[in-house]
Amino acid sequence: MNPLARLNKFFGRLPLHLIVILMIVLWVIPTLGLFVTSFRPRLAVSETGWWTVFSPVKATGQGEYDTYCASCHGTDGKKIPTADLSDPKVSGQYTRSINLLIDLQKPVNGGTHLVNPTLPTNAAQAQDILAPILTYMQTLSGSEAASQARFTLSNYVDALVGYKGTADYQSDCKNKVASTLAVMSCTAKDLLNPAGMGRAFINTIWVAIPSTLLPVFFGALAAYGFAWLDFRGRMWLFALLVGLQIIPLQMTLVPIARLYVRLGLQGSFFGVWFFHTGFGLPYAIFLLWNFMKNLPREIFESAYLDGASHLTAFRTLALPLTMPAIASLAIFQFLWIWNDFLVAKVFLSSKPVLTVQITNLIDPMGGNWNILTGAAFLSFIIPMAVFFTFQKFFTRGMLSGSVKG
């Protein structure tokens, strides 16, 4: 190819390449931001964006400390030896901002403690200023070094145990906060807390694996029957089954929920398994039939002449030869069920799966959203692993039956 033709080819494909690059950027940047945010401390998440993760960090409360305290105690808190704010014993006297406020309201040398500027007269407003100052005092004393770290696993730990407090699970357990101890044991048992992602992960496994295997198994049997058994009305029945794919799932939620209540299946794993199996079968039958009907007829005729039954032909010939399509179908089904929210929410609300549990972690007041970043990544670790491990089967499944041999 001459240079001019090569140049023309390059510029001819340039718009396509730019669109592909733009789509990759639009997908990758938000995912990268979510991933970085999931490892940032709660306070950093609430105050700054993920793109500032490598910017110089200003310690929490340093601004308030410089305004109210640095002029007397010094920037390092050591200017007054009898009141060394960098001494852990001094900062340890104040476990809450209200304790610090009470001390500051006491006169010093015949006058008020803080003169220029003074604290607001409203106690709540004063505590809003003193809380970060207290945090900075603990930073000066070295007891809050961990909280100033750029990265932490707290969001993942909090999501796993279902923590909904105002700090984080590990620090609350360490400080024996009463509100946390009332609902947590601060042991490994908390991983199975019904409000946490750990329990939801187990529930999701219980839903996804049977709901994947059942339609694949019954779909393979039905596909073999439609492909290799001759009976009256076969193609009419096949068209009816495949046509069931057009029925919107939402139309069936209410009648099936009422039926499940009568049968005692509402809120049970059996109900969800049956629902996913019923709705997964039409597509499973269609995909596997499309693959099985193109298998060489001579192989099956030889087996029948040797006395093989249909069950033997299915087990020893059809299943092994259809394995690529079965694997791709299993991947499709597993990913769809793992990411399902609606069916699990309607039929299994008492045993929430990962997609439902994420919504349960949301604070109605808008807090705790830092935990959602860790919860989101916990929810799609398994689907990503499945997809990247079996992606070659995924591609084969999408193309199966598209080309006739």
Side-chain angles (χ1 to χ4, degrees):
M1 181 181 293
N2 61 60
L4 185 58
R6 188 177 301 172
L7 190 63
N8 284 335
K9 184 178 181 182
F10 171 77
F11 281 106
R13 294 182 175 179
L14 186 59
L16 175 63
H17 292 166
L18 290 177
I19 291 174
V20 171
I21 292 173
L22 178 63
M23 292 177 65
I24 293 173
V25 169
L26 290 177
W27 275 102
V28 169
I29 288 183
T31 307
L32 177 64
L34 186 67
F35 183 70
V36 172
T37 303
S38 69
F39 289 100
R40 302 186 72 205
R42 167 195 287 264
L43 197 59
V45 172
S46 63
E47 292 183 347
T48 58
W50 64 272
W51 52 89
T52 64
V53 65
F54 293 115
S55 302
V57 177
K58 191 174 183 179
T60 304
Q62 185 176 358
E64 289 84 354
Y65 176 88
D66 290 342
T67 303
Y68 290 91
C69 310
S71 59
C72 296
H73 291 274
T75 55
D76 58 357
K78 298 179 179 180
K79 192 173 181 179
I80 303 176
T82 54
D84 185 355
L85 300 185
S86 64
D87 186 347
K89 294 181 180 178
V90 175
S91 60
Q93 297 174 3
Y94 308 104
T95 55
R96 301 178 62 185
S97 57
I98 185 66
N99 305 126
L100 183 57
L101 178 61
I102 293 172
D103 263 12
L104 292 177
Q105 288 175 337
K106 296 177 182 177
V108 174
N109 298 326
T112 57
H113 196 126
L114 297 176
V115 180
N116 187 21
T118 59
L119 285 173
T121 54
N122 183 284
Q125 294 176 358
Q127 287 187 70
D128 288 341
I129 295 173
L130 293 177
I133 291 178
L134 186 57
T135 301
Y136 189 66
M137 287 171 57
Q138 293 168 344
T139 301
L140 291 175
S141 65
S143 58
E144 280 291 315
S147 65
Q148 303 302 326
R150 291 179 186 272
F151 300 105
T152 177
L153 291 174
S154 295
N155 295 330
Y156 288 91
V157 176
D158 293 351
L160 281 172
V161 301
Y163 174 80
K164 296 180 181 178
T166 55
D168 62 79
Y169 170 77
Q170 291 168 297
S171 63
D172 276 11
C173 286
K174 181 181 178 181
N175 298 324
K176 298 182 179 179
V177 175
S179 58
T180 299
L181 293 178
V183 294
M184 304 275 188
S185 63
C186 292
T187 64
K189 294 180 180 178
D190 290 338
L191 290 172
L192 297 179
N193 182 10
M197 295 292 284
R199 171 67 76 177
F201 185 86
I202 296 174
N203 291 341
T204 307
I205 292 288
W206 267 106
V207 170
I209 292 180
S211 300
T212 300
L213 296 180
L214 288 173
V216 170
F217 175 71
F218 290 113
L221 285 173
Y224 176 83
F226 285 117
W228 296 105
L229 295 181
D230 290 324
F231 55 91
R232 185 186 297 273
R234 180 181 62 168
M235 294 313 298
W236 284 104
L237 182 59
F238 177 75
L240 177 64
L241 283 173
V242 174
L244 290 176
Q245 294 182 89
I246 66 173
I247 296 178
L249 180 146
Q250 293 84 352
M251 284 181 59
T252 64
L253 292 177
V254 173
I256 291 182
R258 296 183 65 179
L259 177 64
Y260 278 3
V261 171
R262 292 182 181 178
L263 298 176
L265 293 176
Q266 183 69 14
S268 71
F269 288 110
F270 288 103
V272 179
W273 296 343
F274 294 153
F275 191 93
H276 283 307
T277 301
F279 270 86
L281 270 178
Y283 178 72
I285 294 172
F286 176 73
L287 179 67
L288 297 180
W289 171 83
N290 214 21
F291 200 94
M292 284 188 183
K293 74 182 178 65
N294 290 316
L295 295 176
R297 177 173 291 276
E298 293 78 9
I299 298 176
F300 289 91
E301 289 178 346
S302 300
Y304 298 147
L305 288 175
D306 290 341
S309 64
H310 281 297
L311 182 60
T312 303
F314 171 75
R315 182 170 52 83
T316 59
L317 293 176
L319 274 185
L321 293 174
T322 318
M323 195 51 68
I326 291 176
S328 61
L329 172 64
I331 296 169
F332 272 121
Q333 183 75 1
F334 180 83
L335 293 178
W336 186 81
I337 292 170
W338 190 276
N339 294 313
D340 167 67
F341 172 82
L342 183 61
V343 175
K345 181 69 175 177
V346 172
F347 297 112
L348 203 64
S349 57
S350 59
K351 301 180 182 71
V353 298
L354 288 172
T355 51
V356 177
Q357 196 72 296
I358 289 178
T359 63
N360 295 337
L361 289 175
I362 297 175
D363 187 339
M365 303 299 292
N368 281 349
W369 71 270
N370 58 300
I371 299 176
L372 300 184
T373 59
F377 272 88
L378 287 173
S379 70
F380 64 73
I381 285 176
I382 295 296
M384 284 182 64
V386 170
F387 178 79
F388 286 115
T389 304
F390 302 103
Q391 58 177 320
K392 62 180 181 181
F393 294 112
F394 193 80
T395 306
R396 290 182 191 176
M398 294 181 69
L399 298 177
S400 64
S402 61
V403 179
K404 290 187 176 180

